[in-house]
Amino acid sequence: MFIVTLDKLRTKKRAFTYLINKLKDEITRDNPSKVGVSYAGEHETADSIINFLKEKFPNKIIEKHPLINVGAVFTGYGTVSIGWINV
């Protein structure tokens, strides 16, 4: 497994803006029917992402779920993950 650093982002606000812009491009390209947002502990960030997604993609099914315990332990409090599928 390789980890490639694309950009260094020093603040939460910059990281959030970067993530949202990247996400918007990917969702537009892939055109999924369902988007899932998972979070570990801090659900406010997940809610912000969901609000953005609902505004930009009103026809998508968007679900919010807590991150599974194993994922939360390894990634840490405040982690937010986003995934999508075509059903």
Side-chain angles (χ1 to χ4, degrees):
M1 177 160 90
F2 295 97
I3 297 175
V4 178
T5 303
L6 300 176
D7 288 309
K8 290 185 180 181
L9 304 168
R10 304 264 182 220
T11 66
K12 188 174 183 177
K13 183 177 179 180
R14 285 185 182 166
F16 183 73
T17 302
Y18 177 84
L19 174 67
I20 290 298
N21 289 331
K22 200 75 157 147
L23 185 63
K24 183 176 71 171
D25 295 341
E26 293 293 323
I27 289 177
T28 301
R29 186 193 64 182
D30 288 350
N31 194 28
S33 54
K34 185 184 264 188
V35 178
V37 178
S38 297
Y39 63 96
E42 191 177 297
H43 64 88
E44 292 85 6
T45 303
D47 290 339
S48 297
I49 292 170
I50 289 169
N51 290 336
F52 169 82
L53 291 172
K54 286 181 177 179
E55 181 181 303
K56 297 293 181 186
F57 305 102
N59 60 335
K60 304 290 183 205
I61 297 170
I62 301 169
E63 297 179 346
K64 175 182 158 187
H65 299 283
L67 196 59
I68 61 170
N69 292 337
V70 173
V73 167
F74 281 102
T75 59
Y77 185 86
T79 297
V80 176
S81 67
I82 304 155
W84 52 88
I85 60 171
N86 284 316
V87 288

